[in-house]
Amino acid sequence: MTEQTASNKFDWAGPAFKARLNKRKRSQLTLKLLGLGAISIAFGMLFLLVASLVSTGYHAFTQTHIEVEVFLDPEQINADDPNRGNYRQIITDTLVTQFPEVADDRAELRKLTSILSNGAQFSIRDEVVADPDLIGQTVTFKVPVSDPYDQLNKGLMDRETPEEFRRLKNEEIANFDILKERGMVSKPLNTALITNADSRFPELAGLKGAIIGSFYALLTCFLLSFPIGIGAAIYLEEFAPKNKVSDLIEININNLAAVPSVVFGLLALAVFLGWFGMPRSAPFVGGMTLALMTLPTIIIATRASLKAVPPSIREAALGVGASKQQVVFGHVLPLAMPGILTGTIIGLAQALGETAPLLLIGMNAFITSAPATPFDSATALPTQIFIWADSPERGFVSRTSAAILVLLSFLIMMNGIAIFLRQKFQRKW
Amino acid sequence: MTLLAFLILFCAVMIGYMLNLRAARAIRAGGTRLHSLDGFHGGFSALVTLVPTFFIILFWMMFQGTVIQSLVKAGLPAGTLEGLGTGEVQLIMSEIRSIAGGRIFGTPEDWKLEAADRLVSLRATSSILLVVVTVIMTAVLILLSRKTVAAEFRARQGVEKIILSLMIGCATVAIFVTVGIVGSLMFETYRFFEMVPIADFLFGTTWEPQIPIREDQIAAEGAFGMVPVFLGTLVIATIAMIIATPIGLFSAIYLHEFASDRARAYIKPLLEILAGVPTVVYGFFAILVIAPAIRSFGTDLGLPIAPNTALAAGVVMGIMLVPFISSFADDALAAVPHSLRDGSLALGATQAETISKVLFPAAIPGIVGGILLAVSRAIGETMIVVMAAGLIAKMTINPLDSVTTVTVQIVTLLIGDTAFDSPKTLAAFALGMVLFLMTLVINIFALRIVRKYREIYD
Amino acid sequence: MNDMRKIERDVKMTDTKITARNVNVHYGDTHAIKDVNVDIADKTVTAFIGPSGCGKSTFLRCLNRMNDTIDVCRVQGDIRIDGKDIHDKSVDPVQLRAHVGMVFQKPNPFPKSIYDNIAYGPRIHGLAKSKAELDEIVEKALRRGAIWDEVKDRLTQSGTGLSGGQQQRLCIARAIATEPDILLMDEPCSALDPIATAQVEELIDELHRDYSVIIVTHSMQQAARVSQKTAFFHLGNLVEFGDTDQIFTDPKDPRTESYITGRIG
C-alpha cells in the first residue's frame, strides 16, 4: 500500500499519520471505556442496592423466640370470659420461676419481663380463648422476645460497646444468656412477618395488612383500568375517525402518562375524598387512584398490540361479511390479547410500587388489623415500607428491607409472568 | 344490600337475554326470516338492561354517603353547628357516625344520639330504596326491550351502537381525568389565593407553613413563599441530571456501538431493572446507604454535610433516571439511518468518530427530548425526596446543605388529617398546580421534539 | 503465483490493482460468497452484475473491509491491493477505507453542511494542515464530483437539502476527498431518476481516468454503458469475468447467457 500511484499525494505510512492513527485509536478506546464505566456504575449501584437490602433484610426473616412453660393460673383468668385475664401477671410469674431470686425486686422484675415481647401476653390469651380447657394446665409456649434482645441474639448489638451506649445493660444481657444456656432460646423462621398485621413493636409487626391492602387496591385497579383501557384503545385504534377530537384524546393520553404520580394523589384527595366523601385509607379508593395512573399504560400497550395484528386478518374477516365489530371482537382482539395482558401486568406492577398517591389518601395509617373488605382502612406494601422506614426502632430497619424484598419478589413474579406471556405467544407475522 | 342490587341486576340481565332469545326463536320457528341473529336480540335486551342500571347503582354507591351526611347535618337542631370550623363539624359528624356504628364513648348529648338514630334509619332506607329502584328499572327495561323483538328489528346494529358508545365513553375517561386534575387543582388553588396573595406565593422567599401563626398573619408573614421550595427542587433535579445524563448517554453509546448482540441481550434488561424498582425502595436505599456514605466521606474531607443533604437524594434519583435516559438515547441512535453509519465508516472514520461526529449530532433532538422527559420526572419524583431530602425550605443552592422540594412539601402538608379550609392544605394544591404546569410544559415540549425527530427519518 | 500470471495475461495489459483469491464469506450460517477469484485492473470501470442476492454487494464490501462492521459476517481468503494483503495485521481498516472510497445505493449525505460533508474525511485523517488547504481539498473534490458549479454558492447549507442526484454526486465527491485509488459503488443510481442517473454515469466515465472504479449494478444497460470489464455473479459464485463487450455479446457460460437474455434474474 505504500508504493502507490501518483495520484496519492499523502504519505499514509509516514510517522505523522502513524501518530495520528494511534491517537485516534486511543480516543476510540477511551470512549469504549467510558461506556463500560457508565454501565459498571449503573450495575454497581444495582448490586449495592440489592446487597444492602439482602444483608439488612435477611435478619428479619428469623425471629428470636423463647420457649416458656406457662402455668395458666385459674385465679388470673376469668373462665367464663377468657378474654379477661391478667395474662401479663402469668407471664411475669413464668419468668420468676426461672429467676426466683428477683421475685421481690420490682426494678429487676421489670428488666426481666422486658425480655419478652409486649405481645406475648396477647398471643397466650388468643390460645386460651381458642381453647378454654387449657386453663389450669401448664402449657409450653414459644413467644417472641422484644426487639433489643432479638438484635442481641442476631449479633446486631455489639457486646463490646461501653455499657452506657448500649441499649441493653450488662445485667440484662446476663439474664438473656442464662436463658440461652438453658436452651430456651430459638430462632425459627419469622412467619409473623407475613401472618401478622402492623404493630408498634418490631418483633410483632408483619405485612399481612399491607399485602391484603395492596391486593384489594390492585384488584380494584385492574377491574377499572383493564376494561376501560381496552375499550378506549379499541375505539381509538379501530373506530375513531381521524379528526381533532381523536388527536386531542391521543395527546391527552400521552401527557397523562407523564404526569407526576403525586398529582394523581392530589386529584384523588380533592375529588374522591373531598367531593365524593369516600372513606380515607381505603384500598378501594387507592385502587381507583392507581387505575387512573395505569390507564394510559394499558391504552398505549393495547393500541400497540392491536396495531401489530396484520390488516390481512381484518380484511379476510370483513370479506366474508362480518361487521367491523365482529371482526374486532372475534378476530383482532383475541390475537392481540397476549400483548394486552403483558402490558396490563407491567402496568399493574408499576401500580404495585406506587407510593405517593396512596400517602395522600391516607393509606399510611397505623392499622393493626388486616382489612376485611376493600372499604376498610388499610396500608399497602409500599406505604408500609414508608411507615417502617420512618420508625425509630432498630428492628424496623431490617424489617423495612425485608418488606422491600417481599415487594420486589412480587414485582419480579409479575414481570416474570409478563415476560413468559410475551415469549410464549410472540408471533411473527 | 348493594350486593343484593347487583345480584338482582345479574338475574335481570339473564332473564332479559333469555326472553328475547326465545321470542326471536319463536318468530324464526314461525317461518319468518329475522334481520339479526337470535343472540343479538338477547344481547340487545341484556345491554339495555345492564348499562343504565349498573351506572345508577354505581352512582348510588358513590353519593349516598355524602347525601345522607348532609341530610343528617340538616336535621340537627338549629344552631348547633353555628360558628364552628370545618374541623369541628367533621369531628361531630364522625362522633355521630361512630355512635351509629355502636361505639359509644362516654355520654353523648341527646341530639347526637338522635342524629345517630336518624343516620341509621337513613342508611337502611337508602339500601331498601336502592333495591326497589333496581327492581323497577330492570323490570321496565326488560319489558321495553322485549317489545323490540320483531323480524325487521336491527338488533345487531342496536347492540353495536351501545358497545360503540361504551367504548367512546371509555376513551373520554382519559379526558375526564385531565379535566379532573386541572379542575380540582384550579379550584383549590383559587381558594388558596383568596387567603394568601398570589404575589406572596410566587415571589416570597420564606416558606414556613408548619409554624402556627395567627389567621391574620398568614399573608403578612409571607410564610407561603414558594421560591425556596422551587429552588430546592431545582438543586436536587440538577444533581440528578448531572449524574444521570453522562452515565445514561455513555451506556447508550456503548450498548449501541460497542456491545455485541449477546452482551446487549443481557445488559439492556439488567439496566431496565433499575427503572422498575419502586421509588420508595430508592428512598430507603438513599437513607440506608448513600446518605451515610456521603456523610462519612464528607467528614473525612472536613466538609460540613447536612444529615439529609440534597446530594443523597439527587444521586439516588440520578441512578433511577439512568435507564430512562439510556433507553431514549439508544432509541434515538437506532433511529439514525444505518446508511449514515456506513457512510462514515466507509470514509475511514473509527467507530468513536462515527458516533461522536455523525450519529450523535444526528440523534441530538431525540436525545434532548429524552433528557427533558427525565427532567420532568426528576421534578415530579416524590418518594426519594420525601424520605431522603429535608423538610425545611432554605434559600440555598449548596448541594451539601439540606433542601426541600415541591413534592416533599405537598406530601408533608397533606399527610395526616386534612381539612379543606386551612391555607396549609390548600397550599399543597397550589404547589401541585405549579408542579403540574411545570411538568406539563416540559412534557409537551419534549414529546413534540421526539415526534418531530421521528418524522425526519421515517 | 504462476496461476495468477496466467489469469493476468487473459486480462490484457493494464496494471492489476486488486487481486482476490479464494474469497469466501459467511453470514452466520449462510455461505454468501463461494471461492471467488478475480483480478481488477487499475483505471478501468469494472461492473459486477447478477441477480439480487447473488453476493455482488457482499463481495464489494470485502474490498474495503466494510464487512468487518457486521458482527455475524466472516471473510476468508486473500485479497490484495497493489500486492499488499488487506487483512494483514499492519493494515488498519480505518486507513484502508481512506484509500478505497465507497458510494452507497441510497445517497447518504450527513446532516451537516455541504462543506462539512466533504471536509469530513480529510478532517478525521488530518489531511489538511490549514483552513486554506482544506478549502482547496473541498473545492477540488467538488469539482471532480461534477457538482461544484451547483453548490459553490451554498457550501454552508445542509447536504440533505440537495436533490437526489446532487446528493449522490456529493457523496461521490465526499469519497474522492481523501484521495483514494479505488472507488467502490454499490448500485449508485438505483435510487435516482433517469436524468440524475445519466449525470452520475457521465461522472463515472470521467473518474475512471484517475481511479479504478468498481460498480455494482442491477441494470445490464448501465453495465454496458459505463464499464470496460464485467463480472457476473450467481448464487455466490463468480461465474464469468471478462471484457464487457465479450460478456454481453459472446458469453461463455450458459448461466451468463440466460441472465443476459433475461431468463434468470
Side-chain angles (χ1 to χ4, degrees):
Chain A
M1 278 216 309
T2 43
E3 68 282 55
Q4 269 162 12
T5 44
S7 76
N8 195 341
K9 60 176 187 181
F10 302 112
D11 179 18
W12 289 97
F17 277 98
K18 277 265 155 65
R20 189 178 171 84
L21 190 62
N22 285 335
K23 204 177 136 210
R24 290 170 64 196
K25 283 189 164 162
R26 271 201 304 282
S27 58
Q28 160 104 347
L29 190 67
T30 313
L31 187 66
K32 202 170 171 176
L33 289 179
L34 277 174
L36 264 181
I39 290 180
S40 317
I41 291 177
F43 281 0
M45 282 297 173
L46 182 62
F47 176 77
L48 191 61
L49 175 69
V50 174
S52 62
L53 289 177
V54 170
S55 69
T56 53
Y58 84 94
H59 292 298
F61 287 104
T62 56
Q63 166 67 40
T64 310
H65 280 69
I66 286 187
E67 210 172 274
V68 283
E69 294 199 345
V70 181
F71 173 58
L72 295 169
D73 190 350
E75 280 175 26
Q76 303 283 6
I77 306 172
N78 184 342
D80 299 327
D81 182 6
N83 257 324
R84 297 185 175 206
N86 195 346
Y87 291 97
R88 200 176 168 73
Q89 188 58 47
I90 294 177
I91 294 256
T92 314
D93 291 345
T94 310
L95 283 173
V96 169
T97 57
Q98 293 294 331
F99 299 93
E101 66 278 9
V102 299
D104 302 320
D105 188 337
R106 289 188 74 91
E108 288 295 312
L109 208 56
R110 203 172 308 125
K111 274 183 193 161
L112 202 55
T113 46
S114 79
I115 292 180
L116 291 184
S117 161
N118 254 326
Q121 44 181 325
F122 302 114
S123 55
I124 293 177
R125 181 196 65 191
D126 292 345
E127 293 276 338
V128 176
V129 171
D131 183 7
D133 292 342
L134 293 176
I135 298 172
Q137 298 182 25
T138 301
V139 186
T140 310
F141 283 106
K142 257 190 180 175
V143 290
V145 301
S146 64
D147 185 42
Y149 292 93
D150 188 40
Q151 304 277 328
L152 177 73
N153 190 37
K154 286 171 179 165
L156 296 174
M157 187 184 293
D158 191 357
R159 287 167 188 253
E160 305 305 318
T161 321
E163 192 174 6
E164 61 266 36
F165 298 123
R166 224 188 299 125
R167 273 201 300 163
L168 292 181
K169 305 302 166 208
N170 289 338
E171 209 178 326
E172 294 170 308
I173 292 180
N175 285 344
F176 184 75
D177 286 343
I178 291 171
L179 289 175
K180 211 168 175 178
E181 270 166 34
R182 292 181 188 161
M184 296 165 68
V185 177
S186 61
K187 206 170 70 175
L189 195 66
N190 184 13
T191 49
L193 187 67
I194 302 294
T195 56
N196 276 10
D198 197 12
S199 163
R200 224 183 307 279
F201 308 108
E203 68 272 10
L204 295 176
L207 292 169
K208 187 180 174 195
I211 291 174
I212 295 178
S214 266
F215 172 75
Y216 282 145
L218 273 196
L219 187 71
T220 313
C221 171
F222 173 76
L223 289 178
L224 284 173
S225 61
F226 189 66
I228 296 180
I230 290 186
I234 293 179
Y235 175 72
L236 292 175
E237 193 60 40
E238 306 278 344
F239 296 98
K242 291 274 162 279
N243 58 21
K244 282 239 167 80
V245 180
S246 313
D247 279 356
L248 186 74
I249 296 180
E250 174 133 25
I251 293 171
N252 193 2
I253 288 170
N254 284 336
N255 279 321
L256 217 48
V259 168
S261 61
V262 69
V263 172
F264 284 94
L266 287 172
L267 169 75
L269 180 60
V271 176
F272 295 160
L273 300 192
W275 297 354
F276 292 170
M278 291 184 184
R280 266 183 84 82
S281 313
F284 172 72
V285 182
M288 283 174 67
T289 316
L290 294 177
L292 300 184
M293 304 177 56
T294 317
L295 202 54
T297 316
I298 295 184
I299 293 178
I300 291 168
T302 306
R303 292 190 66 175
S305 22
L306 287 175
K307 236 180 230 146
V309 177
S312 58
I313 287 181
R314 275 163 253 243
E315 283 153 15
L318 282 173
V320 298
S323 77
K324 178 107 203 223
Q325 282 199 10
Q326 286 171 323
V327 173
V328 171
F329 290 104
H331 297 92
V332 179
L333 194 58
L335 288 173
M337 228 9 161
I340 297 173
L341 285 179
T342 309
T344 307
I345 295 172
I346 288 172
L348 287 179
Q350 277 171 11
L352 179 59
E354 268 310 332
T355 322
L358 301 185
L359 288 185
L360 294 198
I361 59 160
M363 285 191 73
N364 59 332
F366 175 70
I367 294 151
T368 52
S369 60
T373 71
F375 306 96
D376 296 341
S377 291
T379 58
L381 268 175
T383 50
Q384 190 68 59
I385 291 167
F386 175 68
I387 300 168
W388 284 359
D390 244 13
S391 305
E393 286 88 352
R394 290 289 309 155
F396 274 122
V397 174
S398 63
R399 272 179 168 69
T400 310
S401 295
I404 288 176
L405 291 177
V406 170
L407 173 65
L408 290 182
S409 56
F410 278 121
L411 288 180
I412 290 171
M413 231 155 60
M414 292 173 77
N415 282 300
I417 294 172
I419 291 169
F420 171 77
L421 273 178
R422 184 158 40 196
Q423 306 258 325
K424 173 133 194 203
F425 294 102
Q426 198 169 43
R427 248 178 247 259
K428 289 263 181 269
W429 302 100
Chain B
M1 280 309 234
T2 38
L3 202 68
L4 182 66
F6 276 116
L7 217 66
I8 293 171
L9 176 58
F10 179 74
C11 296
V13 167
M14 285 302 174
I15 292 168
Y17 179 82
M18 291 311 294
L19 277 180
N20 274 22
L21 190 73
R22 283 186 171 198
R25 275 194 189 142
I27 295 177
R28 199 179 291 276
T32 324
R33 275 181 60 105
L34 275 86
H35 170 272
S36 302
L37 294 172
D38 308 339
F40 281 113
H41 286 279
F44 182 72
S45 166
L47 280 175
V48 164
T49 319
L50 176 71
V51 177
T53 322
F54 181 75
F55 281 110
I56 292 257
I57 298 179
L58 220 59
F59 278 109
W60 199 289
M61 279 167 64
M62 259 169 154
F63 293 105
Q64 70 171 357
T66 329
V67 172
I68 290 175
Q69 180 150 341
S70 56
L71 281 177
V72 169
K73 221 186 273 179
L76 290 178
T80 31
L81 296 181
E82 227 158 76
L84 294 179
T86 328
E88 286 153 312
V89 173
Q90 270 182 0
L91 215 67
I92 291 173
M93 289 317 290
S94 73
E95 194 182 343
I96 292 174
R97 268 200 303 276
S98 57
I99 295 170
R103 298 183 300 276
I104 304 174
F105 304 103
T107 41
E109 294 89 327
D110 281 345
W111 58 270
K112 280 183 185 164
L113 288 174
E114 251 167 60
D117 284 344
R118 210 162 39 249
L119 184 62
V120 172
S121 73
L122 276 174
R123 274 182 185 162
T125 322
S126 161
S127 312
I128 293 167
L129 216 60
L130 174 62
V131 172
V132 171
V133 166
T134 311
V135 169
I136 293 175
M137 278 222 29
T138 48
V140 169
L141 289 169
I142 288 174
L143 286 179
L144 279 181
S145 52
R146 171 66 187 79
K147 283 211 178 121
T148 62
V149 183
E152 66 277 13
F153 179 63
R154 299 173 164 238
R156 183 171 63 73
Q157 275 80 344
V159 168
E160 293 192 348
K161 225 181 235 167
I162 296 175
I163 291 179
L164 188 68
S165 24
L166 280 179
M167 288 196 297
I168 293 176
C170 291
T172 47
V173 167
I175 300 235
F176 281 123
V177 175
T178 309
V179 170
I181 289 175
V182 174
S184 61
L185 287 181
M186 269 181 20
F187 179 71
E188 309 291 351
T189 306
Y190 175 76
R191 286 176 52 195
F192 176 68
F193 288 139
E194 280 182 336
M195 299 181 197
V196 176
I198 186 163
D200 285 10
F201 175 71
L202 288 181
F203 307 114
T205 54
T206 322
W207 177 267
E208 285 170 351
Q210 304 283 16
I211 293 175
I213 27 180
R214 274 181 288 121
E215 286 280 310
D216 55 327
Q217 266 189 339
I218 293 166
E221 288 286 311
F224 284 101
M226 62 162 269
V227 174
V229 183
F230 189 72
L231 201 62
T233 309
L234 286 188
V235 169
I236 291 186
T238 309
I239 298 170
M241 294 314 292
I242 287 174
I243 298 279
T245 312
I247 297 182
L249 290 186
F250 279 120
S251 15
I253 287 175
Y254 184 84
L255 278 176
H256 184 261
E257 193 59 39
F258 298 113
S260 67
D261 284 350
R262 268 177 66 94
R264 230 179 113 86
Y266 287 105
I267 295 174
K268 263 201 109 158
L270 269 172
L271 269 184
E272 305 276 309
I273 290 181
L274 277 177
V277 173
T279 53
V280 68
V281 177
Y282 279 114
F284 185 63
F285 179 59
I287 48 180
L288 184 72
V289 179
I290 300 296
I294 290 175
R295 258 213 315 285
S296 73
F297 188 69
T299 338
D300 291 349
L301 293 180
L303 287 171
I305 293 187
N308 34 22
T309 157
L311 212 51
V315 166
V316 172
M317 197 188 282
I319 293 162
M320 180 193 82
L321 292 174
V322 164
F324 198 73
I325 290 184
S326 104
S327 78
F328 257 95
D330 198 20
D331 287 352
L333 285 172
V336 178
H338 211 69
S339 63
L340 287 186
R341 178 170 180 265
D342 277 354
S344 170
L345 290 175
L347 284 168
T350 61
Q351 281 170 302
E353 286 157 349
T354 304
I355 275 273
S356 58
K357 297 203 165 93
V358 176
L359 299 189
F360 203 77
I364 272 289
I367 292 173
V368 168
I371 290 179
L372 278 180
L373 285 178
V375 169
S376 132
R377 281 227 163 171
I379 292 174
E381 170 46 42
T382 309
M383 288 323 293
I384 295 177
V385 280
V386 165
M387 294 170 85
L391 289 176
I392 294 162
K394 283 187 202 158
M395 285 293 282
T396 176
I397 53 165
N398 177 7
L400 302 179
D401 211 341
S402 146
V403 297
T404 191
T405 74
V406 174
T407 48
V408 171
Q409 289 307 317
I410 293 176
V411 170
T412 41
L413 289 175
L414 293 182
I415 272 191
D417 276 322
T418 39
F420 273 95
D421 59 351
S422 89
K424 225 178 82 174
T425 311
L426 296 176
F429 281 91
L431 284 179
M433 188 80 191
V434 171
L435 179 67
F436 177 72
L437 288 180
M438 258 192 331
T439 51
L440 185 73
V441 169
I442 298 177
N443 289 341
I444 289 179
F445 193 56
L447 288 174
R448 184 159 296 174
I449 291 179
V450 171
R451 189 186 293 184
K452 264 249 171 66
Y453 163 75
R454 272 195 203 126
E455 280 164 6
I456 296 176
Y457 290 117
D458 269 350
Chain C
M1 282 308 259
N2 287 336
D3 183 42
M4 206 167 117
R5 293 253 163 73
K6 209 178 95 213
I7 293 173
E8 239 166 68
R9 237 170 279 128
D10 293 342
V11 184
K12 282 199 209 148
M13 282 313 294
T14 28
D15 294 331
T16 302
K17 188 75 186 169
I18 306 172
T19 58
R21 290 291 170 271
N22 304 326
V23 175
N24 281 285
V25 180
H26 293 263
Y27 268 108
D29 295 332
T30 21
H31 197 172
I33 297 283
K34 298 162 191 165
D35 260 336
V36 168
N37 294 291
V38 72
D39 290 274
I40 288 166
D42 198 9
K43 304 207 194 315
T44 43
V45 177
T46 308
F48 288 178
I49 60 170
S52 34
C54 66
K56 50 194 192 307
S57 290
T58 306
F59 183 66
L60 190 75
R61 293 168 65 99
C62 290
L63 301 179
N64 64 347
R65 290 182 60 180
M66 273 301 275
N67 284 330
D68 292 14
T69 64
I70 301 166
D71 282 341
V72 293
C73 186
R74 277 180 298 124
V75 180
Q76 292 155 329
D78 186 45
I79 300 173
R80 289 170 187 271
I81 293 179
D82 292 326
K84 178 143 184 154
D85 184 358
I86 64 166
H87 289 107
D88 192 88
K89 281 218 160 54
S90 67
V91 175
D92 194 283
V94 164
Q95 281 201 342
L96 172 73
R97 289 178 198 143
H99 294 289
V100 185
M102 187 164 191
V103 178
F104 295 85
Q105 191 168 358
K106 231 182 110 202
N108 57 352
F110 301 139
K112 298 170 181 286
S113 73
I114 292 171
Y115 184 95
D116 287 337
N117 260 285
I118 304 293
Y120 183 78
R123 271 188 186 138
I124 56 176
H125 294 291
L127 301 184
K129 289 181 184 60
S130 64
K131 176 82 172 80
E133 224 175 301
L134 189 62
D135 287 348
E136 196 187 314
I137 292 177
V138 170
E139 183 178 336
K140 196 170 147 201
L142 286 171
R143 279 186 193 283
R144 274 184 169 172
I147 193 181
W148 170 253
D149 291 332
E150 289 158 68
V151 301
K152 65 182 176 205
D153 300 325
R154 42 172 175 156
L155 290 177
T156 53
Q157 287 175 23
S158 172
T160 50
L162 298 171
S163 75
Q166 288 174 323
Q167 286 189 5
Q168 195 60 302
R169 278 179 285 144
L170 179 71
C171 291
I172 294 173
R174 188 175 69 187
I176 293 172
T178 54
E179 301 277 347
D181 312 318
I182 300 167
L183 262 185
L184 309 176
M185 298 190 169
D186 191 355
E187 303 193 29
C189 301
S190 66
L192 304 184
D193 61 63
I195 295 172
T197 302
Q199 285 172 326
V200 171
E201 283 180 6
E202 206 174 304
L203 173 61
I204 293 171
D205 203 46
E206 283 289 311
L207 291 172
H208 92 266
R209 276 167 221 168
D210 298 320
Y211 310 94
S212 42
V213 178
I214 304 174
I215 175 170
V216 164
T217 175
H218 250 107
S219 146
M220 280 176 292
Q221 290 85 343
Q222 185 172 57
R225 282 196 299 267
V226 300
S227 70
Q228 287 88 49
K229 294 274 186 184
T230 296
F232 172 64
F233 284 82
H234 188 239
L235 300 174
N237 296 302
L238 176 59
V239 175
E240 195 167 351
F241 178 56
D243 286 353
T244 303
D245 293 345
Q246 174 252 313
I247 295 272
F248 279 86
T249 52
D250 178 24
K252 302 251 174 354
D253 194 289
R255 283 173 291 176
T256 318
E257 197 185 325
S258 308
Y259 183 68
I260 303 277
T261 53
R263 260 178 287 158
I264 52 173

